[in-house]
Amino acid sequence: MDFSEVIGQEEMAQRLRSLADAERLPHAMMLCGPDGCGKMAMAIALATYLLNKGTFQVRGISHPDLHFTYPTIKLKKWSSEYKPVSNDFIEPWRELLQNGAYFSLAQWLEAMGAENQQAIITVGEAGELLKRMMMKANQGGWKVSIIWLPEKMNLECANKMLKLIEEPPQHTIFIMVCREPDELLDTIRSRVQRFDMKRIKTEDIATALIEKRGLQPEDANRVARLSGGNWLKALDELNAASENKLFFDYFVTLMRQAYMKDLRELKRWSESVATMGREQQKSLLEYFMRMAREAFIYNFHNDELTYMTTDEEQFCKKFARFVHEGNIIGFQQLYQRALRDIGQNANAKMVFFDITMQVAVLLHTT
């Protein structure tokens, strides 16, 4: 992977290239930024740039002097004393990376089959990394260690890693890809140079959706605006199209029946929603919050502020006038309370039937 494959982020790519060309890259650095901005993609692109200066050209993620460290889980077949290391899960890691350098912790946990386990980087990994980095580079040039989510290191591992960073082997670069830098030890943060990446520009996401996913420009622009600069969210918008359509249908049905005050149908609606799982119910409520907000903003007739699909926008052409200054806060508070109640395992039928009653009142508020 090279810099041209990173979505947007040209300014950061140029900065890192310049530092590499001037041989001024810090031996320990940390890429930070919001989810989906391309931190891992940038790290791999930088590693590729450094390693391709040698005679062995990087193809994909394979290079004898490129090493990955990442959080792992403990399998039941292992003894209680065993400390898992990254190589124990090298196959699912490679499969994940072969699908692209944009992925979440949740996707990695699923790839490992983690179920409800928490993933950490153990002291065993610190020992393995020390061995690898102390060896002579296969190609006589750089050795690059990419540490994904270093904040997942346990204390014993972090202390051992600190010593390695303080006294690094020659021609070694550590690239940390960090999601929550405040969770790292202060001593480690103080010894690495931090590079903060921004959200991806909307136009860059739209271009990538057209080139990589074959979307039409209008659809790509809509998805890009909904993504909020997060490529993972843009992909989720594509993958979750069917669920969003389901939520949209529930939203439209509720608004129409609540406006007509059809108690029988409203009761049927609440019973239907109550059959969903808790997580899906929470996602539905978050969708309702977004639609209330978008309907309210639609009244300002500013396309730059509107983040809706075509179906949603068509519905809001007539519906938006029912969401105004007199009830928008009421709608938001209603859905927030319901989210809290569902999260606390309240009776779903009661929660959602109460929503139908409250929505009927709010829609007739002037």
Side-chain angles (χ1 to χ4, degrees):
M1 182 173 197
D2 57 38
F3 287 114
S4 66
E5 297 176 75
V6 179
I7 299 170
Q9 307 293 4
E10 289 87 356
E11 183 178 340
M12 180 60 71
Q14 181 56 44
R15 182 182 177 189
L16 294 176
R17 257 196 313 262
S18 297
L19 289 172
D21 290 341
E23 297 186 354
R24 292 175 53 206
L25 274 175
H27 78 273
M29 54 189 293
M30 182 167 64
L31 295 177
C32 303
D35 287 343
C37 72
K39 299 184 291 293
M40 176 58 96
M42 188 66 75
I44 295 176
L46 176 58
T48 301
Y49 190 73
L50 290 170
L51 296 172
N52 276 349
K53 291 177 178 294
T55 58
F56 187 103
Q57 296 295 296
V58 178
R59 292 179 176 83
I61 57 170
S62 298
H63 192 286
D65 296 320
L66 175 59
H67 307 281
F68 289 99
T69 291
Y70 37 84
T72 59
I73 59 173
K74 193 164 190 174
L75 300 179
K76 294 179 180 178
K77 64 181 181 181
W78 293 331
S79 69
S80 58
E81 294 80 18
Y82 183 70
K83 309 296 183 184
V85 296
S86 295
N87 274 346
D88 291 327
F89 295 90
I90 190 63
E91 290 306 320
W93 177 257
R94 285 175 176 166
E95 290 176 10
L96 193 66
L97 280 181
Q98 283 169 358
N99 292 324
Y102 294 81
F103 53 87
S104 65
L105 176 59
Q107 288 173 300
W108 172 231
L109 291 173
E110 182 179 357
M112 286 192 293
E115 298 179 349
N116 294 323
Q117 288 181 265
Q118 297 293 318
I120 64 169
I121 301 176
T122 71
V123 68
E125 176 63 23
E128 286 294 312
L129 182 59
L130 176 60
K131 292 178 185 177
R132 292 196 298 268
M133 303 312 282
M134 292 301 293
M135 294 174 64
K136 184 178 179 180
N138 280 269
Q139 304 302 317
W142 290 102
K143 297 191 297 293
V144 182
S145 167
I146 296 179
I147 304 173
W148 184 58
L149 303 185
E151 62 268 37
K152 295 295 182 181
M153 293 187 291
N154 62 22
L155 184 59
E156 192 178 4
C157 174
N159 286 328
K160 195 166 185 177
M161 196 72 74
L162 176 61
K163 295 180 181 179
L164 180 58
I165 293 173
E166 287 179 326
E167 300 175 5
Q170 191 175 14
H171 293 298
T172 296
I173 286 186
F174 296 93
I175 307 174
M176 296 186 177
V177 180
C178 195
R179 182 185 181 192
E180 301 288 347
D182 290 342
E183 294 182 8
L184 267 173
L185 285 180
D186 291 339
T187 48
I188 289 182
R189 287 207 308 269
S190 66
R191 286 165 174 78
V192 300
Q193 184 171 335
R194 177 170 170 171
F195 295 81
D196 286 296
M197 295 175 61
K198 301 176 182 178
R199 295 183 182 278
I200 306 172
K201 295 178 181 178
T202 300
E203 54 267 32
D204 290 332
I205 288 185
T207 299
L209 288 170
I210 294 170
E211 295 177 351
K212 298 177 183 292
R213 299 287 167 157
L215 268 65
Q216 294 300 311
E218 182 180 355
D219 294 331
N221 286 327
R222 286 183 180 276
V223 172
R225 292 173 67 190
L226 286 168
S227 73
N230 182 335
W231 178 247
L232 292 176
K233 189 174 181 182
L235 296 181
D236 284 343
E237 289 292 335
L238 297 181
N239 297 333
S242 59
E243 185 173 62
N244 280 347
K245 180 63 169 60
L246 173 68
F247 292 166
F248 173 69
D249 291 340
Y250 269 106
F251 181 80
V252 171
T253 301
L254 173 60
M255 296 305 137
R256 289 174 175 166
Q257 292 173 352
Y259 181 76
M260 295 185 294
K261 299 180 180 179
D262 189 334
L263 293 180
R264 179 178 296 178
E265 290 302 317
L266 288 173
K267 184 173 183 293
R268 185 176 298 173
W269 182 93
S270 63
E271 290 173 347
S272 176
V273 177
T275 63
M276 294 180 178
R278 293 277 172 177
E279 292 305 314
Q280 192 173 30
Q281 288 169 353
K282 290 192 286 187
S283 296
L284 177 71
L285 289 167
E286 290 171 351
Y287 178 85
F288 280 16
M289 289 177 66
R290 182 178 74 81
M291 282 302 296
R293 181 176 62 252
E294 294 300 332
F296 177 70
I297 294 175
Y298 186 84
N299 292 308
F300 294 94
H301 304 292
N302 187 335
D303 292 341
E304 292 300 316
L305 299 176
T306 304
Y307 298 87
M308 291 186 285
T309 65
T310 302
D311 288 342
E312 291 167 351
E313 189 169 346
Q314 286 295 319
F315 176 70
C316 279
K317 286 182 178 180
K318 294 183 178 179
F319 171 71
R321 63 190 178 93
F322 295 102
V323 183
H324 46 73
E325 291 88 346
N327 61 17
I328 180 60
I329 294 178
F331 275 117
Q332 295 296 321
Q333 290 177 340
L334 172 63
Y335 301 140
Q336 286 172 349
R337 285 197 304 270
L339 265 172
R340 178 201 63 200
D341 292 342
I342 291 298
Q344 295 176 350
N345 293 320
N347 185 290
K349 286 185 179 180
M350 294 179 62
V351 170
F352 285 101
F353 187 66
D354 180 65
I355 284 177
T356 65
M357 298 295 98
Q358 297 287 346
V359 169
V361 172
L362 288 167
L363 287 178
H364 289 86
T365 301
T366 57

